[in-house]
Amino acid sequence: QTSMLHTTMSTEAKVYDVLIVGGSSAGWSAALCLGRSLRSVLVLDSNQPCNRFTPHSQNFLTRDGEAPGTIRQIAMDQVLNIYGETVEYQGDVVVTQGKNLTTESGTLFELTTDAGTVFQGKKVVFATGVKDMLATTIEGFEDCWGVSIIHCPYCHGYEHKERPTAVLLHNPEAKQAMKMIPL
């Protein structure tokens, strides 16, 4: 199995066809398609996906009920093992994105990571997903997040059917989510 620390370190500046920010399902799907197209790709990821707190992923064809980290590792392994000639991975947080001057090969985008490494690419795909804003002022909330406190009744409602349920709404539109809870 490929290690999560699979990286390519180089002293010379490399210009990638595509820089992908985010290494979960969307990021690795993009890397798969671009790798098959023989594009040079770098996937940059913080290794902190929002679904890391939940023990099981739902509504994912062929992987329903599997741990999100396992699904992510399988995706990463498959893409890097098959398309590793053109697809690379770097575990780091992107902190700034800027646009360089136009060069003879076109406009280049520049991403700087938390470690201070600068990467350049002709295109950038942001596949970062969402960041959950937890109600951390409620005692015990964080410990239950993704386990008995769920963010999406569509994704997790089936596993929680016929259980006592409370809904914490942050805006009136969120009432629509209650219709997805199988009672």
Side-chain angles (χ1 to χ4, degrees):
Q1 199 169 20
T2 304
S3 167
M4 289 293 286
L5 298 175
H6 175 86
T7 63
T8 300
M9 301 300 274
S10 175
T11 54
E12 49 185 78
K14 177 176 182 177
V15 176
Y16 293 89
D17 289 323
V18 182
L19 299 169
I20 299 174
V21 182
S24 283
S25 298
W28 286 111
S29 291
L32 170 70
C33 293
L34 292 162
R36 291 183 56 80
S37 301
L38 301 177
R39 301 291 186 247
S40 61
V41 176
L42 176 64
V43 178
L44 294 145
D45 187 55
S46 68
N47 295 313
Q48 296 291 312
C50 73
N51 63 359
R52 68 189 178 277
F53 299 109
T54 188
H56 304 98
S57 196
Q58 312 303 342
N59 285 321
F60 199 111
L61 193 59
T62 76
R63 300 285 177 201
D64 191 53
E66 195 148 353
T70 301
I71 296 169
R72 183 174 176 268
Q73 187 66 51
I74 290 168
M76 179 185 212
D77 290 346
Q78 287 181 350
V79 172
L80 292 175
N81 288 333
I82 297 170
Y83 307 104
E85 297 175 15
T86 60
V87 178
E88 300 174 28
Y89 171 77
Q90 179 69 42
D92 204 348
V93 177
V94 173
V95 291
T96 60
Q97 182 267 321
K99 193 184 256 191
N100 277 353
L101 295 173
T102 303
T103 67
E104 59 274 354
S105 61
T107 301
L108 297 179
F109 294 90
E110 201 171 74
L111 300 180
T112 305
T113 68
D114 200 34
T117 311
V118 177
F119 296 99
Q120 292 183 332
K122 297 174 187 171
K123 304 282 182 192
V124 178
V125 172
F126 287 99
T128 55
V130 298
K131 180 173 178 155
D132 296 318
M133 304 303 283
L134 302 181
T136 55
T137 56
I138 299 173
E139 186 178 336
F141 193 95
E142 263 186 87
D143 295 333
C144 297
W145 184 247
V147 179
S148 59
I149 297 176
I150 59 172
H151 74 287
C152 177
Y154 184 73
C155 296
H156 305 286
Y158 183 82
E159 287 70 29
H160 294 272
K161 70 182 182 293
E162 300 172 357
R163 291 185 186 175
T165 302
V167 178
L168 177 63
L169 300 175
H170 66 283
N171 65 47
E173 290 80 30
K175 286 183 189 176
Q176 293 299 318
M178 291 173 33
K179 295 177 183 177
M180 293 187 277
I181 300 172
L183 300 172

